[in-house]
Amino acid sequence: MSLLLVFSSSTLAAPSDQVLRERFLKAEKNIQKASPEQAQKILRDLHHYPLKPYVELEYLSRALGKTAEVKDFLKRHQGTPLEWPMKKRWLIYLASVGLSQPFLQNYQMGTDTVLDCYALQLRLLNEPAKTIWPEVTKLWTVGKSLPKECDNLFSRWQKAGQRTPEVVWARLTKAADGGDERIIPYLRTLLPKNLQYLGDKWKQVIENPGLVQRQNFLPLKHRWEREILTYALKKMVWKQPEQALRVWQRFETDPQFTKAQRTDVARQFAIALASKNDARATKFIAMVPVALKDDLFIQWQLAWLLRQKQWQQIQQMLAELPAESRNKDNLRYWQARVLQELGQQEQAKQQLASLAEERSYYGFMAAAKLGLKPSLAHKPVPITAEQYQAFKKSAAIARMYEWQAIGRPNAAKRELTFLQKYGTEPEKLSAAKYAYDKGWYDRAIFALADAGYWDDVEMRFPMVFNQEIQKHAKAAQVDPAWAMAITRRESTFIPTAKSPVGAHGLMQIMPQTAKHISGRRVAVQTLYNPNVNIDMGTDYLNYLMRQNNNNLVFATASYNAGYSRVKTWLPKGQQMPLDIWIETIPFKETREYVKAVLAYYQIYNIRMNQNHDVFVPLSTMQVGESS
């Protein structure tokens, strides 16, 4: 072989992965200040490197007037995390130079608030203002601050007389009731002087709803005061029910207190009083029409009737609901239980048998009541080996791999998250499987949820940290499947999980709980060690079992809400079926937590090949004190 041939072969050899990674990192720093010639060389040197498009994105962001190149980039990277950053920068450029036609051809209203404002300003150039102002009003009437880029549009809208007191009041109300109350002082100044006192009243009532008890707090000079009153009553009834009911009596027949407002307040009173087991809930439940009964209202109307075991009334209530509501798992279960209690056993069995095919709390409870084996109905994600292999060879996975290789795991997960949300159905399911195979179990669980695919039990309920959980659960004398279920619910197996209230790690241990268990202060960082966290979590489960007389359901509720609080929820002087007690737990979070953990417990019980049915003892259990 000639020396020339050897030299030619070596010069044509592709650069190594490491060389390309180093080039990419330098390109990121230099592309913004490089000359056009230097930029082109930088891009050529990266050749087919998977992360090259991110450098190209920054390069094109300096040359947004090159429409053909921008469009080519957008076409090549359509449906990737690169598309929107490029498109937004380009659209902002088009708006800044007044190119209305290409902007409006390439933008869909409702995607981005800033771009919505630009779009409306550009449309004003060619469309009658009267067709634009309603859209501007809708954009302005939100309960939060708006970007400064919208100021010019809103200024024209205001000068056209569109910012009426009614519009200002609508925005102020949204800011006060669930929005950003910090903008209330500003909005107050936009009201006529004789109405600015309403903004002051809003601020005061947000801080202290009980102020409406004062006879002269609301001077009743304007009908809008009843919106403040409505807000205050809905808040008061939870912490000051007696005072709220007295204020209600004062205003119940007030002609300025509209029917819609009275119904809104009645709905909240019904829910709050039912949750407190207050007999006065009945009056307010009756005031709410079926059309306004959402899931929360239905839950508490049902709970109220269940506590009193008013089976006929439950049957009537369920019959009034639309079929869409009645077909949900919880209401299907209680329809069957009503039939049982009313002596219609065959119909009840048919309903329960249908529900027993479901993999859920209610499905498992139904199966146990019929003496049937629980069904996992496991179905692996429906993607072929060819689809999965193609996915693993895709550009998205190549980018993900490179992000990991250069030490940016968050950027890698961003690529996966994008596919999970916006990919095709096979891509979403492949993304879930890829996350599972990589050991990103939380991302796999979330990906399947995003895809709406619930039947791959192995991926949704992985056996991660199984050895550690088995070891520590057995040492603490608690069921490993229960500990696994708690861990799945608490953190989806993220060792570094941290809750807003300060719980840490796999089993979400609070620092004070760790101190109670170990007898000494435990550093927060220690709680991120899976072995330590599981050790403490299983010890705490043992403690809660002992505190709750070995009642697993009460211990589960206590893990979420605290033992002292759960103790106050137990029936006094009577016994009730466990399923009714669970359905009437006052805290929604704890109620759903208990149902989820029990269902997960059943699933892990089966996955661990344990030979008992979790729900069999629960299906006939009575709880509370004997009268």
Side-chain angles (χ1 to χ4, degrees):
M1 182 181 294
S2 71
L3 182 61
L4 178 61
L5 184 57
V6 172
F7 178 77
S8 299
S9 298
S10 64
T11 56
L12 291 175
S16 68
D17 289 345
Q18 188 56 39
V19 167
L20 286 171
R21 287 168 190 151
E22 289 171 2
R23 286 180 184 175
F24 170 77
L25 293 171
K26 288 180 182 177
E28 273 190 312
K29 295 177 182 177
N30 299 327
I31 194 69
Q32 286 287 0
K33 54 189 177 184
S35 67
E37 295 76 16
Q38 290 171 327
Q40 290 297 334
K41 183 179 185 307
I42 288 171
L43 292 171
R44 280 196 306 273
D45 287 347
L46 288 171
H47 197 42
H48 294 303
Y49 182 60
L51 298 183
K52 173 188 172 183
Y54 283 95
V55 177
E56 191 179 357
L57 168 67
E58 297 305 320
Y59 165 66
L60 281 176
S61 295
R62 296 165 46 199
L64 294 166
K66 297 182 177 180
T67 301
E69 291 185 38
V70 171
K71 283 188 171 182
D72 176 63
F73 183 91
L74 291 171
K75 184 178 179 180
R76 284 185 285 116
H77 300 290
Q78 186 176 8
T80 75
L82 291 146
E83 181 184 13
W84 178 244
M86 181 79 263
K87 190 169 187 179
K88 183 171 182 177
R89 295 176 195 185
W90 182 51
L91 287 168
I92 290 173
Y93 164 77
L94 292 175
S96 70
V97 296
L99 293 172
S100 58
Q101 188 174 359
F103 180 100
L104 295 171
Q105 285 175 343
N106 287 279
Y107 181 63
Q108 183 176 356
M109 286 293 292
T111 305
D112 180 275
T113 301
V114 168
L115 294 178
D116 281 348
C117 289
Y118 288 155
L120 291 168
Q121 289 187 78
L122 293 171
R123 285 172 57 191
L124 280 168
L125 299 174
N126 299 301
E127 296 180 42
K130 65 180 182 180
T131 66
I132 305 298
W133 295 144
E135 293 186 61
V136 180
T137 300
K138 183 178 179 182
L139 193 63
W140 190 81
T141 315
V142 294
K144 59 183 180 180
S145 296
L146 288 159
K148 65 180 186 304
E149 289 88 348
C150 297
D151 288 350
N152 288 338
L153 174 68
F154 292 143
S155 178
R156 292 184 62 183
W157 167 80
Q158 176 200 344
K159 289 174 182 176
Q162 300 297 309
R163 199 182 71 189
T164 63
E166 288 75 15
V167 170
V168 174
W169 179 250
R171 185 176 180 191
L172 197 155
T173 300
K174 288 183 178 179
D177 194 0
D180 183 355
E181 63 186 73
R182 292 173 298 179
I183 65 172
I184 292 176
Y186 159 71
L187 295 173
R188 172 194 176 279
T189 65
L190 305 184
L191 289 170
K193 285 195 178 298
N194 67 318
L195 296 180
Q196 289 182 3
Y197 79 95
L198 292 166
D200 299 329
K201 296 296 182 185
W202 258 126
K203 278 293 275 184
Q204 291 173 281
V205 162
I206 288 169
E207 293 169 7
N208 181 8
L211 287 173
V212 295
Q213 295 175 77
R214 297 179 183 176
Q215 196 71 29
N216 299 319
F217 177 75
L218 294 175
L220 305 184
K221 295 188 295 186
H222 198 282
R223 59 187 171 83
W224 289 349
E225 292 177 35
R226 277 61 172 194
E227 291 191 50
I228 301 173
L229 172 67
T230 298
Y231 170 90
L233 286 171
K234 287 162 60 177
K235 295 290 183 183
M236 280 177 67
V237 73
W238 289 98
K239 292 185 177 180
Q240 300 173 287
E242 297 301 329
Q243 295 91 324
L245 286 162
R246 281 199 294 271
V247 177
W248 165 268
Q249 287 172 352
R250 275 174 48 207
F251 288 97
E252 187 175 5
T253 57
D254 177 358
Q256 297 290 324
F257 195 32
T258 67
K259 182 180 178 180
Q261 288 168 340
R262 283 196 296 272
T263 303
D264 189 18
V265 173
R267 178 188 171 279
Q268 197 69 256
F269 275 34
I271 293 169
L273 295 172
S275 73
K276 299 174 188 297
N277 202 20
D278 189 315
R280 291 169 293 188
T282 300
K283 169 187 173 180
F284 295 100
I285 288 171
M287 292 175 63
V288 180
V290 172
L292 297 181
K293 293 182 178 181
D294 59 3
D295 288 347
L296 180 62
F297 186 93
I298 291 168
Q299 168 67 40
W300 281 111
Q301 183 179 5
L302 175 64
W304 171 247
L305 295 172
L306 283 172
R307 282 198 186 111
Q308 301 169 70
K309 301 180 183 176
Q310 294 186 16
W311 302 106
Q312 292 279 7
Q313 288 90 330
I314 295 172
Q315 188 174 50
Q316 181 181 342
M317 167 207 156
L318 295 174
E320 291 174 350
L321 297 175
E324 182 182 354
S325 295
R326 289 200 308 274
N327 286 334
K328 293 178 180 176
D329 277 9
N330 61 330
L331 297 190
R332 287 168 62 198
Y333 177 81
W334 289 110
Q335 287 173 57
R337 287 283 281 112
V338 165
L339 291 170
Q340 275 186 330
E341 295 294 337
L342 295 180
Q344 300 174 45
Q345 300 302 330
E346 284 307 312
Q347 288 177 272
K349 285 180 182 178
Q350 289 175 18
Q351 292 248 31
L352 289 170
S354 171
L355 188 56
E357 297 174 6
E358 305 289 335
R359 183 185 55 256
S360 68
Y361 163 80
Y362 293 104
F364 293 147
M365 190 68 85
K369 283 189 172 293
L370 294 177
L372 301 174
K373 286 188 175 182
S375 170
L376 287 192
H378 168 62
K379 295 177 185 175
V381 288
I383 51 172
T384 65
E386 292 76 18
Q387 286 174 318
Y388 189 48
Q389 286 305 314
F391 176 81
K392 290 200 291 185
K393 293 177 182 177
S394 67
I397 295 301
R399 292 193 299 271
M400 193 183 310
Y401 181 83
E402 285 304 317
W403 285 126
Q404 287 178 294
I406 62 173
R408 299 188 194 171
N410 290 336
K413 288 188 179 181
R414 183 180 64 225
E415 298 275 356
L416 189 66
T417 300
F418 188 91
L419 284 171
Q420 291 165 358
K421 288 188 177 296
Y422 306 111
T424 64
E425 201 63 24
E427 284 175 337
K428 288 180 179 180
L429 296 176
S430 294
K433 180 171 171 53
Y434 185 83
Y436 179 83
D437 290 346
K438 296 292 287 184
W440 302 337
Y441 300 109
D442 59 312
R443 295 261 38 103
I445 292 166
F446 299 145
L448 289 174
D450 287 337
Y453 191 81
W454 311 103
D455 292 335
D456 194 317
V457 176
E458 291 181 4
M459 282 173 57
R460 289 189 61 223
F461 298 94
M463 299 294 290
V464 62
F465 297 108
N466 185 32
Q467 289 185 348
E468 294 89 340
I469 287 174
Q470 291 274 1
K471 171 188 170 184
H472 294 297
K474 287 174 181 175
Q477 297 182 315
V478 297
D479 192 328
W482 181 40
M484 186 76 86
I486 293 279
T487 308
R488 164 67 165 78
R489 177 66 180 190
E490 289 288 344
S491 68
T492 55
F493 303 109
I494 304 173
T496 56
K498 180 181 177 181
S499 80
V501 297
H504 302 274
L506 286 169
M507 297 187 74
Q508 290 291 273
I509 306 297
M510 297 289 287
Q512 59 266 39
T513 303
K515 184 178 179 181
H516 172 77
I517 293 166
S518 65
R520 55 182 173 80
R521 186 178 175 277
V522 177
V524 166
Q525 201 60 35
T526 306
L527 297 176
Y528 296 133
N529 180 310
N531 252 309
V532 173
N533 194 283
I534 294 168
D535 186 17
M536 289 189 173
T538 50
D539 279 350
Y540 188 49
L541 289 176
N542 174 281
Y543 166 78
L544 291 175
M545 283 291 280
R546 288 183 281 111
Q547 289 291 104
N548 286 282
N549 295 321
N550 290 318
N551 185 299
L552 179 134
V553 178
F554 295 164
T556 298
S558 298
Y559 199 92
N560 176 262
Y563 166 67
S564 298
R565 185 176 285 126
V566 171
K567 192 175 179 181
T568 68
W569 298 340
L570 303 184
K572 305 296 188 295
Q574 62 167 321
Q575 287 201 318
M576 67 168 60
L578 178 71
D579 57 358
I580 292 180
W581 183 81
I582 291 173
E583 205 69 47
T584 58
I585 291 174
F587 286 9
K588 179 182 178 182
E589 180 189 334
T590 305
R591 187 169 62 250
E592 298 308 315
Y593 181 91
V594 168
K595 293 176 189 176
V597 167
L598 291 177
Y600 297 174
Y601 182 15
Q602 183 78 298
I603 292 166
Y604 277 114
N605 183 63
I606 296 169
R607 291 214 66 197
M608 291 179 173
N609 299 313
Q610 299 187 154
N611 58 10
H612 66 279
D613 186 323
V614 171
F615 278 75
V616 166
L618 306 183
S619 65
T620 57
M621 185 181 292
Q622 298 282 322
V623 299
E625 301 170 353
S626 300
S627 56

